[in-house]
Amino acid sequence: MSDPSNTDVTREQAEEAVRVLLRWAGEDPSREGLLDTPKRVVKAYGDWFSGYTEDPGEYLRRTFEEVEGYDELVVLRGIEFESHCEHHMAPIIGRAHVGYLPDKKVVGISKLARVVDGYARRFQVQEKLTAQIANCIQETLQPRGVGVVIDASHECMTTRGVHKRGVSMVTSQMLGTFREDARTRAEFLRFIDIDGH
């Protein structure tokens, strides 16, 4: 990955694995167009899976308490992300919507997007990704409640297997008042334009 000290696999071994896959697919890794492909693939993997080298909760540890008593919903919607399915290593492309009810402190909104990326840049299943984001926000910020909704397209289903395009999967995780209070949940879903219809 991007930090070789965290793994016992060398960059050279990773590049050789790409050459093996190219040969397995019927290609010649020594032909001109593919000579640098192993290096490029390993570099891309370093970017795509950089979430393994970071702690998403760290982004939420710097908070602001001077908010003039603000205690209403905070929502960041439409956070675009790219992830990869842990079953087929195929892309998952989607949007996350994150909301929380602060309890005396708020966090910079870009930090919420960084939490999404921190978990998305790992091999994932969408249900786990949704829960990880919500749990991280709940455990680190300790708000009165958290809501996370993810709407994503899975290339493992659109480009192979059943080949169904235009299909997206929606998952949600509601914690605290988002789970306990139907009005809070409904307000969050209204904010992100998802009302159950």
Side-chain angles (χ1 to χ4, degrees):
M1 304 310 282
S2 59
D3 182 4
S5 65
N6 289 340
T7 178
D8 59 354
V9 177
T10 66
R11 175 178 268 291
E12 292 75 23
Q13 289 171 316
E15 290 176 10
E16 183 55 32
V18 175
R19 286 185 200 90
V20 168
L21 284 173
L22 288 169
R23 284 193 298 273
W24 177 82
E27 265 295 353
D28 174 9
S30 65
R31 78 172 170 82
E32 183 183 9
L34 294 175
L35 277 177
D36 289 331
T37 296
K39 287 180 184 164
R40 288 190 294 261
V41 169
V42 169
K43 184 177 180 184
Y45 266 53
D47 181 34
W48 290 335
F49 304 110
S50 61
Y52 289 112
T53 63
E54 58 189 76
D55 171 13
E58 188 61 37
Y59 296 120
L60 302 177
R61 291 194 177 94
R62 181 162 184 247
T63 59
F64 305 99
E65 295 185 20
E66 293 181 17
V67 292
E68 298 293 325
Y70 185 84
D71 63 356
E72 295 293 327
L73 205 52
V74 175
V75 177
L76 189 60
R77 63 184 185 178
I79 307 165
E80 294 181 350
F81 71 87
E82 302 91 29
S83 190
H84 284 78
C85 157
E86 69 181 33
H87 300 135
H88 301 97
M89 297 171 70
I92 300 170
I93 310 293
R95 291 176 180 264
H97 312 283
V98 176
Y100 70 98
L101 268 171
D103 186 16
K104 300 185 183 79
K105 58 187 175 183
V106 298
V107 69
I109 59 172
S110 69
K111 307 308 185 204
L112 296 173
R114 289 186 187 279
V115 169
V116 171
D117 279 345
Y119 286 112
R121 290 176 180 254
R122 302 173 183 198
F123 287 110
Q124 283 291 5
V125 294
Q126 186 172 326
E127 298 89 339
K128 181 171 77 171
L129 174 61
T130 308
Q132 285 175 325
I133 294 166
N135 290 333
C136 179
I137 295 167
Q138 184 64 45
E139 290 166 14
T140 310
L141 284 185
Q142 298 185 341
R144 290 177 290 145
V146 176
V148 176
V149 173
I150 293 180
D151 184 352
S153 171
H154 294 247
E155 298 303 305
C156 59
M157 188 173 109
T158 63
T159 63
R160 57 159 300 282
V162 295
H163 291 274
K164 298 298 180 201
R165 296 203 175 273
V167 175
S168 71
M169 179 172 158
V170 178
T171 51
S172 68
Q173 180 76 48
M174 306 291 171
L175 303 174
T177 56
F178 284 68
R179 179 182 291 267
E180 298 155 6
D181 183 349
R183 290 173 302 174
T184 301
R185 185 171 49 255
E187 182 180 12
F188 171 61
L189 296 176
R190 256 194 330 275
F191 277 23
I192 64 171
D193 291 329
I194 294 179
D195 61 7
H197 298 297

